[in-house]
Amino acid sequence: MAINMLAANSDYERIVIASAIASRILLLFLIVFWRSLVSPYDTSASLNPACLIDSSSSPLAGQPVLFPRIGSAIESSIVWDGVHFVRIAECGYEYEKSYAFLPLLPLCISFLSHTVLLPLVPVIGHRAVLGLSGYLINNIAFVLAARYLFRLSHIILKDVEAAMRASILFCFNPASIFYSSLYTESLYSLFSLGGLYHLMSGRNCVSALWLALSSCARSNGVLNAGYICFLTLHWTYDALVLKKCFRRALQVLITGALNCVCIFAPFVVFQAYGYYNICSGRLPDEMRPWCKARVPLLYNFVQNYYWGVGFLRYFRFEQLPNFLLASPILSLAFFSIVHYGKSRPKLLLSVGFQATAEDRNSAAMLYFPERVPRSSMPRHTVASSSGLQGNQNLRRKKQIIGQNPAKLSVEDKTFSGSGYSSAFVIPFILHMGFMAATAIFVMHVQVATRFLSASPPLYWFASYVMVNPGRFKRWGYIIWAYSVAYILLGSLLFSNFYPFT
């Protein structure tokens, strides 16, 4: 029985990986197709002035290339933020505004272009190799991210079919164009979802390292420390209140704090690096304003000064089209939170502390994996149900099957102890809610489409909505239509240097 389950899980995982690869091939085809039909809005993407400091350039840069047209085609595909990432990979952080772009992607591009892909420099040119390196990194990272989302979803939902549906939705998400471009979405998703998978599997130290890498890819990676904080609070409550073990509680708090420090460390070090380069050794009159601040945060200054990011600064009438552009993803996030709140109000408001006895027995396997023998758990899932719980869930499923299909709801699909209504979903809901609020009130709101695209609850909720034969069924079609429309629109506009999120 266990062998059959493992084989089935492997089959589902292969389907997810195949879907991820197919989605990247589709995006590549669409990009080439639209580029051949539409003239780019901005043709300056291929311009590349010499580095201010030439020490980081390839020794083969500037030499004649064998296939200049191929190199030119790759260079012209480097658009929007990709221009900055490739420039940083080639020349380092030359300008103050460059510090808005965190270093993980440029470092990976630089490493790959100076090692594996170095022989291609005489063939297509140095900058084209940098661009090609970024495309390879991001597309491979996306496939791995889809794989980790499937494994994470299986642990949280305890429903392998729902996990597969959610992962396939992720493969064709509305922000797909950014996952195949020179942006940080793929690396951030890989290390965030991978880190959360390791965290929910009980590998806390490994998880902290993965989540630290996510904060090296995107600034919002530091918010992943919230998952550590959530579990640390529950572990501390269990040790101090339920078990009356002060020593264990102190150990949990210290471990949690160290893991959070590990996650914040890359971002803090990057700020210190910027301070050293821009502020250190200068006279007070020569210093930039942020250098003199009590807490000199370069990233916040750059976002505010160069991009106009700030609380309610985007609430202007002329930005109404951008709010409309972001409204589908924000609406999906809103309804997924509202649905969970309606189905489990006490659990959500108490942040999981007012759980039922059944929730506590089930959550113990996830929040306290050390209580459960690993030998009794299926592969890829520490939080799987025990045999008794499995029988209870089976009886619950039979009850559901016996009902009139027209009366089935999402609650019926998420039977007790598993699915979208389980206690395991709470930290993900809280994280997504905070991210959505930040996108609305602080950021450029149109960025919400890609900003929230790595939030698992969006796909978990949608995966149950899609298969519900009742009133929710039409919303499943709407979600797919939204994803397809944004994939087509994004590949058309973004690849030709037109504004899109």
Side-chain angles (χ1 to χ4, degrees), residues 107-119:
L107 286 173
C108 292
I109 291 174
S110 180
F111 175 78
L112 189 61
S113 65
H114 284 82
T115 53
V116 178
L117 299 185
L118 183 62

Side-chain angles (χ1 to χ4, degrees), residues 308 326 352 376 396:
S376 65
R396 173 63 173 156

Side-chain angles (χ1 to χ4, degrees), residues 64-125:
V65 298
L66 189 59
F67 297 105
R69 294 186 64 181
I70 296 177
S72 177
I74 295 175
E75 289 189 44
S76 63
S77 70
I78 302 171
V79 296
W80 294 108
D81 289 359
V83 175
H84 297 280
F85 285 116
V86 169
R87 180 72 180 185
I88 294 168
E90 182 180 11
C91 304
Y93 287 89
E94 301 173 291
Y95 308 103
E96 185 179 64
K97 68 177 182 180
S98 300
Y99 288 87
F101 306 97
L102 270 68
L104 183 60
L105 179 57
L107 286 173
C108 292
I109 291 174
S110 180
F111 175 78
L112 189 61
S113 65
H114 284 82
T115 53
V116 178
L117 299 185
L118 183 62
L120 292 180
V121 172
V123 180
I124 58 176

Side-chain angles (χ1 to χ4, degrees), residues 6-26:
L6 287 175
N9 293 345
S10 299
D11 290 340
Y12 284 121
E13 187 171 298
R14 281 194 289 268
I15 292 173
V16 170
I17 293 174
S19 299
I21 295 172
S23 70
R24 295 313 95 191
I25 295 173
L26 173 64

Side-chain angles (χ1 to χ4, degrees), residues 233-253:
L233 285 174
H234 279 268
W235 290 333
T236 304
Y237 177 82
D238 179 75
L240 194 61
V241 178
L242 301 182
K243 292 184 176 180
K244 310 296 182 182
C245 182
F246 178 79
R247 182 178 179 180
R248 171 62 177 165
L250 183 62
Q251 179 184 357
V252 166
L253 286 173

Side-chain angles (χ1 to χ4, degrees), residues 87-395:
R87 180 72 180 185
I88 294 168
E90 182 180 11
C91 304
Y93 287 89
E94 301 173 291
Y95 308 103
E96 185 179 64
K97 68 177 182 180
S98 300
Y99 288 87
F101 306 97
L102 270 68
L104 183 60
L105 179 57
L107 286 173
C108 292
I109 291 174
S110 180
F111 175 78
L112 189 61
S113 65
H114 284 82
T115 53
V116 178
L117 299 185
L118 183 62
L120 292 180
V121 172
V123 180
I124 58 176
H126 178 56
R127 190 166 185 264
V129 168
L130 290 171
L132 181 61
S133 300
Y135 290 130
L136 287 175
I137 290 166
N138 281 344
N139 283 278
I140 293 172
F142 177 82
V143 174
L144 296 176
R147 176 173 174 260
Y148 274 114
L149 176 61
F150 170 76
R151 292 187 172 190
L152 174 66
S153 301
H154 190 195
I155 289 177
I156 300 300
L157 303 178
K158 296 198 286 289
D159 182 344
V160 69
E161 292 185 358
M164 183 190 68
R165 291 194 303 271
S167 302
I168 292 175
L169 277 169
F170 173 72
C171 293
F172 297 94
N173 74 75
S176 285
I177 184 63
F178 298 101
Y179 288 87
S180 287
S181 303
L182 298 177
Y183 272 59
T184 54
E185 270 65 27
S186 289
L187 284 176
Y188 168 78
S189 298
L190 170 60
F191 291 113
S192 291
L193 297 173
L196 293 174
Y197 163 72
H198 289 299
L199 179 64
M200 298 305 172
S201 299
R203 294 185 286 271
N204 297 340
C205 293
V206 175
S207 169
L209 293 176
W210 278 67
L211 296 179
L213 287 172
S214 77
S215 70
C216 196
R218 292 184 61 88
S219 60
N220 55 289
V222 299
L223 298 179
N224 288 324
Y227 293 101
I228 303 289
C229 295
F230 178 88
L231 292 180
T232 299
L233 285 174
H234 279 268
W235 290 333
T236 304
Y237 177 82
D238 179 75
L240 194 61
V241 178
L242 301 182
K243 292 184 176 180
K244 310 296 182 182
C245 182
F246 178 79
R247 182 178 179 180
R248 171 62 177 165
L250 183 62
Q251 179 184 357
V252 166
L253 286 173
I254 293 174
T255 303
L258 290 176
N259 287 336
C260 288
V261 168
C262 180
I263 295 172
F264 274 89
F267 183 77
V268 173
V269 170
F270 182 63
Q271 300 307 295
Y273 173 74
Y275 183 89
Y276 175 80
N277 286 343
I278 297 175
C279 304
S280 181
R282 296 183 181 272
L283 297 174
D285 294 340
E286 298 174 344
M287 286 186 178
R288 298 287 289 155
W290 67 271
C291 294
K292 304 174 186 179
R294 180 173 298 178
V295 181
L297 285 178
L298 171 57
Y299 184 82
N300 287 1
F301 174 81
V302 168
Q303 289 285 352
N304 182 284
Y305 184 80
Y306 292 99
W307 277 271
V309 173
F311 184 66
L312 299 182
R313 292 186 64 177
Y314 224 56
F315 276 64
R316 300 193 301 272
F317 180 77
E318 60 268 24
Q319 298 299 341
L320 181 60
N322 287 323
F323 277 89
L324 294 176
L325 189 64
S327 60
I329 195 76
L330 293 173
S331 298
L332 183 58
F334 173 78
F335 285 115
S336 63
I337 295 171
V338 168
H339 171 77
Y340 190 88
K342 284 185 176 180
S343 61
R344 309 300 296 273
K346 291 183 179 179
L347 194 64
L348 181 61
L349 292 175
S350 66
V351 199
F353 285 101
Q354 291 185 5
T356 64
E358 184 178 357
D359 282 330
R360 289 199 177 280
N361 291 335
S362 182
M365 290 185 171
L366 177 61
Y367 298 156
F368 315 103
E370 69 276 4
R371 297 184 187 175
V372 186
R374 288 185 177 270
S375 59
S376 65
M377 302 180 190
R379 186 181 174 212
H380 301 331
T381 171
V382 171
S384 295
S385 300
S386 64
L388 177 61
Q389 290 169 326
N391 292 334
Q392 292 173 344
N393 290 338
L394 181 60
R395 287 195 295 270

